[in-house]
Structure formats: C-alpha cells, structure tokens
Amino acid sequence: ATTEIYTLSLHDALPIFTVVDRGNGKLPDGYEMVEMNKFSRHLPEVWNYLKKHLTNLEWVAATKMGYMACAYTNSLRPLNDQTTLMELSQAMDISVNRVSNVVKKLFELGVFAKFDVVEVDCEYKKYWIFNPYLSFNGRVIETSMKNLFKNTLPAKVYRGEIS
C-alpha cells in the first residue's frame, strides 16, 4: 500500500494534509482526509478576509451558518429557498427586515451555495450548503462536494489568489 501526502497551505500559515491510503481501504474513493486537531475546521485566513468585507451583522450571520452546517455534508438544513423570512430571521437572529439583504450578500460572496436536485421517483429538492473553504464539520470531505466550491471567493482566498 502506498500513501500520498499532499501539503496545501496559504503562506504556510495553515497546513492541510490530504492522506490517501487506498491500499488499506482507509478512505473510500472520492474522499479526502483533512488532518487537524478538531472535528470542526475553520480556515482563519478566509474568515479574516470576509470580516473585512462584511458588516458586523453579516459576519454574525455567516458565523451562525457555519455552526449550523451538518457534519460531513455542510448542509444548512433546514435552510433552503423555501425557508420564510421569519424562519431565516430566527435562525440568524437578525431583524426580518434585514435578513433578505444579508442572505443575498452572503450568497454572492460564496459563503454558501444553493443547489436544486430532481431525482427519479423523488420530490424536487433544494439545498443550501455552507462553503467548506470557510469551515468544514467532519473528518472527511467528499471531493466532489469540495470541488463545487473551487471557484468561489473563499476558495480563491484560501489558495492565495486573492488577498
């Protein structure tokens, strides 16, 4: 069995090691192990960049969304396009009059993404997913999910393409 270790970092400030050991079957295909000490991972350089471009209210809303993200999927369930303004207001602790603009800005900055899925013999589903280049909740990340966000602002900040 071989082990490949790739080191990615933003100016060596936050090393992330992807360990792939297919020979022992430790990870299924399509997953990456992100080695850090905590179950929940936050990428400070990306959060710090966003803090410069968000109001305090928007910052708090983004942080609350990060804590809402479900383990392994970063799903923001139950939040989706059908969530009422009142429900969003309660979830983010923001005035119902301001929540729509805050959510719009967070979406435009790539803090979260909206996905629509129509599956055979299933109902139409809409999902909100928190950007894993800001925070990720879990020990493994599905590569295909991470790749959905690879061209977002947080991903470009993470890779050092934007500072």
Side-chain angles (χ1 to χ4, degrees):
T2 60
T3 301
E4 298 172 331
I5 300 176
Y6 301 95
T7 304
L8 304 174
S9 68
L10 181 64
H11 310 298
D12 296 325
L14 181 66
I16 295 182
F17 302 96
T18 302
V19 178
V20 181
D21 189 348
R22 306 265 188 252
N24 292 336
K26 290 183 180 178
L27 292 177
D29 286 338
Y31 285 85
E32 297 175 25
M33 178 67 76
V34 181
E35 295 284 335
M36 289 185 177
N37 294 331
K38 296 184 179 180
F39 181 72
S40 184
R41 291 149 191 70
H42 306 282
L43 303 169
E45 67 276 2
V46 183
W47 280 104
N48 288 335
Y49 176 88
L50 278 183
K51 190 167 187 168
K52 295 175 192 173
H53 300 280
L54 298 175
T55 66
N56 286 341
L57 188 62
E58 293 161 347
W59 172 259
V60 168
T63 303
K64 287 188 180 206
M65 290 176 93
Y67 283 108
M68 290 177 66
C70 296
Y72 303 107
T73 64
N74 264 24
S75 168
L76 291 171
R77 193 175 339 152
L79 303 183
N80 62 40
D81 286 347
Q82 279 88 32
T83 305
T84 67
L85 290 178
M86 184 60 73
E87 292 167 328
L88 284 171
S89 171
Q90 291 170 347
M92 295 182 193
D93 200 22
I94 297 175
S95 157
V96 71
N97 297 326
R98 304 211 40 210
V99 73
S100 181
N101 288 335
V102 168
V103 168
K104 180 180 182 218
K105 183 167 182 182
L106 296 179
F107 175 72
E108 289 171 353
L109 288 175
V111 171
F112 71 99
K114 301 175 183 184
F115 294 98
D116 296 346
V117 177
V118 178
E119 298 173 347
V120 176
D121 299 326
C122 291
E123 63 183 71
Y124 178 65
K125 298 177 185 176
K126 293 186 176 214
Y127 297 96
W128 284 10
I129 311 256
F130 195 74
N131 192 323
Y133 286 95
L134 280 162
S135 298
F136 183 75
N137 202 356
R139 297 204 69 188
V140 296
I141 183 169
E142 189 172 344
T143 303
S144 62
M145 193 270 288
K146 181 180 155 196
N147 287 340
L148 292 171
F149 292 88
K150 71 182 176 185
N151 292 316
T152 63
L153 176 73
K156 290 180 182 241
V157 171
Y158 171 77
R159 291 190 301 267
E161 297 170 15
I162 297 174
S163 57

